[in-house]
């Protein structure tokens, strides 16, 4: 039957080497990254305590996106994930565009993480140039990703474990300071810090809303569980569990951690380029506390870079399988990893090393804005694909998923409106607007690439009609 053909996940040649605990921790790790650990410092300076509300609002939207993705993943779990769904529901060009844009997002995110990691190492070794540190980390993670998906999963598991343990520790210590008043911060730590210094919105609601673009960057990578679908041992069980635990992860690790920190340390003491977690522990005065937290946030950056190498190689292979990238990217190594795709992606991530050499003070801001724009496109494609999928299910053309999103397509429409609003904020902000120019140039380049591809292989443009038969 056609429905079997649509819903059945192909073998794809990958090793299903990611167990439940690894998928769970990859999902958790995706929700705890450098956007929180480093980027939150600048956003606190811009929005004050109201940043907590921005993270909560954006977190709700992210949950809508992930439930939409979850419904699609259980309808047809494939490693290409959202690029495949864009291809099926919007047409071959959108699959091509989404796949390459997601690849770009992870390449520039990798640059951001390398930059952040270099900044963290600079905390201990200020004499070591940022670009040297970034290059060393790039090479080490590259080698690890070439070995096997199991090694990637194991590294990601322990990276995430460090982040989770440390964040919970920070929250517990912060609550202890607030409750019992111990440490150097005991006299000034108070819940009233959330509103005493010019109110909850000290810079105004408009300034708070402008931080949403940085907040959305902090949530990039939550969709990574979709890419793991082709290599998960039991996607029907592990993926819903990973997605359904997202709300409490956001509530605890983002909203909870920031609330505690801003109660312990008044918001006026935070600044761009300084991790709020490092600052909080320095103020509390715990021996070596700031150094420990610095190690944790270094782990977070390397974790995200590790994920970037994993996902870019898989996305290039998906594109190659569909004739939208050189066929060489479709080959797997003896260890069943897309080695060539990973290698090429890492070479592009190396541009981040160059940026750290040329403009070390601006490198992080440049690449995060481009990554956010690419991420927003990816999320929009997930949501639009979900809306079209629900229409097809309602019309009886496609089978229903075993993991339907609550509220049907309504939450997807809300999330689409929110993402378009954030895009408008990016366009309004002179500093971040440059990423839209980059994305416009990227769109033109992909448009030209698509035209060349169609002229050489016309069948690529109409593959969608034959590849996905309808039911009923």
């Amino acid at each position: 039957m056609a429905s079997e053909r649509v819903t059945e996940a192909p073998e794809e040649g990958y090793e299903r080497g990611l167990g439940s605990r690894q998928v769970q921790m990859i999902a958790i790790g995706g929700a705890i990254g450098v956007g929180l650990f480093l980027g939150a410092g600048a956003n606190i300076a811009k929005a004050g305590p109201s940043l907590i509300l921005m993270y909560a609002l954006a977190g709700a939207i992210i949950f809508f996106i992930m439930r939409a993705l979850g419904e699609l993943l259980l309808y047809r779990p494939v490693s290409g994930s959202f690029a495949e769904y864009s291809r099926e529901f919007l047409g071959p060009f959108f699959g091509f565009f989404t796949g390459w844009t997601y690849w770009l997002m992870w390449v520039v995110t990798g640059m951001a993480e390398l930059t952040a990691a270099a900044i963290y190492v600079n905390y201990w070794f200020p004499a070591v140039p940022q670009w040297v540190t970034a290059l060393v980390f790039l090479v080490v993670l590259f080698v690890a990703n070439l070995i096997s998906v199991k090694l990637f999963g194991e590294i990601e598991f322990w990276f995430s474990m460090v982040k989770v343990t440390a964040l919970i520790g920070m929250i517990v210590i912060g609550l202890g300071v607030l409750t019992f008043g111990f440490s150097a911060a005991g006299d000034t730590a108070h819940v009233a810090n959330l509103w005493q210094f010019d109110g909850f919105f000290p810079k105004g609601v408009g300034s708070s809303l402008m931080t949403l673009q940085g907040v959305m960057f902090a949530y990039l990578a939550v969709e990574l569980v979709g890419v793991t679908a082709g290599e998960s041992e039991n996607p029907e069980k592990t993926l819903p569990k990973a997605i359904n635990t997202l709300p409490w992860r956001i509530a605890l690790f983002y909203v909870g951690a920031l609330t505690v920190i801003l109660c312990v340390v008044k918001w006026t003491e935070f600044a761009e380029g300084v991790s709020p977690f490092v600052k909080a522990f320095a103020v509390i005065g715990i021996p070596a506390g700031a150094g420990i937290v610095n190690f944790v946030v270094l782990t977070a950056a390397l974790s995200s870079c590790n994920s970037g190498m994993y996902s870019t190689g898989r996305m290039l292979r998906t594109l190659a399988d569909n004739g939208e990238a050189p066929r060489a990217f479709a080959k797997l190594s003896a260890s069943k990893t897309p080695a060539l795709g990973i290698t090429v992606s890492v070479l592009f991530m190396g541009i981040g090393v160059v940026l750290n050499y040329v403009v070390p003070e601006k490198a992080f801001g440049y690449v995060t804005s481009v990554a956010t724009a690419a991420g927003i496109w990816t999320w929009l494609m997930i949501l639009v694909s979900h809306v079209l999928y629900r229409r097809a299910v309602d019309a009886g053309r496609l089978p229903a998923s075993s993991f339907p999103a609550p509220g049907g397509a309504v939450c997807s429409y809300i999330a689409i409106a929110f993402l378009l609003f954030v895009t408008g904020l990016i366009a309004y902000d002179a500093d971040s607007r440059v990423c839209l120019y980059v994305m416009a140039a990227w769109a033109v380049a992909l448009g030209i690439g698509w035209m060349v591809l169609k002229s050489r292989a016309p069948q690529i443009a109409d593959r969608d009609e034959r590849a996905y038969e309808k039911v009923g």
Side-chain angles (χ1 to χ4, degrees), residues 119-263:
I119 290 172
Y120 297 142
V121 171
N122 191 255
Y123 174 86
W124 292 302
F125 306 105
V128 179
Q130 276 186 209
W131 71 270
V132 172
T133 309
L135 180 60
V136 170
F137 286 140
L138 183 70
V139 172
V140 171
L141 291 177
F142 168 57
V143 172
N145 265 270
L146 289 183
I147 296 175
S148 75
V149 68
K150 284 186 177 179
L151 181 59
F152 158 77
E154 205 59 33
I155 290 173
E156 203 54 37
F157 175 84
W158 289 107
F159 274 165
S160 295
M161 184 66 77
V162 169
K163 292 186 287 187
V164 169
T165 303
L167 267 180
I168 292 174
M170 288 184 227
I171 292 172
V172 170
I173 291 171
L175 289 174
V177 172
L178 285 168
T179 305
F180 304 108
F182 63 81
S183 87
D187 293 336
T188 56
H190 200 279
V191 176
N193 284 341
L194 294 178
W195 59 82
Q196 273 189 341
F197 301 95
D198 299 322
F200 190 70
F201 292 90
K203 300 289 186 73
V205 175
S207 183
S208 299
L209 290 174
M210 290 304 294
T211 64
L212 280 174
Q213 50 188 298
V215 169
M216 295 309 288
F217 172 77
Y219 286 122
L220 290 184
V222 293
E223 75 292 322
L224 184 64
V225 290
V227 183
T228 68
E231 293 172 273
S232 300
E233 288 177 352
N234 191 351
E236 291 79 11
K237 290 185 178 180
T238 57
L239 296 178
K241 185 177 178 182
I243 291 169
N244 279 335
T245 55
L246 187 65
W248 73 257
R249 295 200 305 268
I250 289 172
L252 178 65
F253 299 132
Y254 281 92
V255 179
L258 279 176
T259 300
V260 170
I261 284 174
L262 288 171
C263 288

Side-chain angles (χ1 to χ4, degrees), residues 253-289:
F253 299 132
Y254 281 92
V255 179
L258 279 176
T259 300
V260 170
I261 284 174
L262 288 171
C263 288
V264 172
V265 184
K266 58 184 180 182
W267 73 269
T268 53
E269 296 188 28
F270 295 97
E272 185 174 359
V274 178
S275 167
F277 296 90
V278 173
K279 176 70 175 177
F281 268 71
V283 171
I284 291 172
I286 295 176

Side-chain angles (χ1 to χ4, degrees), residues 311-390:
S311 56
T312 49
R314 273 70 184 172
M315 196 55 72
L316 283 180
R317 184 172 186 244
T318 296
L319 288 163
D321 281 339
N322 286 284
E324 297 163 352
R327 291 296 302 170
F329 288 133
K331 295 178 181 177
L332 293 177
S333 68
S335 57
K336 296 185 178 180
T337 62
L340 181 61
I342 294 172
T343 302
V344 170
S345 301
V346 167
L347 289 175
F348 276 94
M349 287 182 192
I351 296 172
V353 177
V354 177
L355 284 175
N356 275 281
Y357 178 75
V358 179
V359 283
E361 72 286 349
K362 296 182 179 179
F364 185 74
Y366 284 159
V367 293
T368 55
S369 62
V370 174
T372 303
I376 287 174
W377 172 269
T378 301
W379 291 335
L380 280 171
M381 289 301 98
I382 291 171
L383 293 165
V384 173
S385 296
H386 177 249
V387 167
L388 295 176
Y389 166 69
R390 289 302 296 245

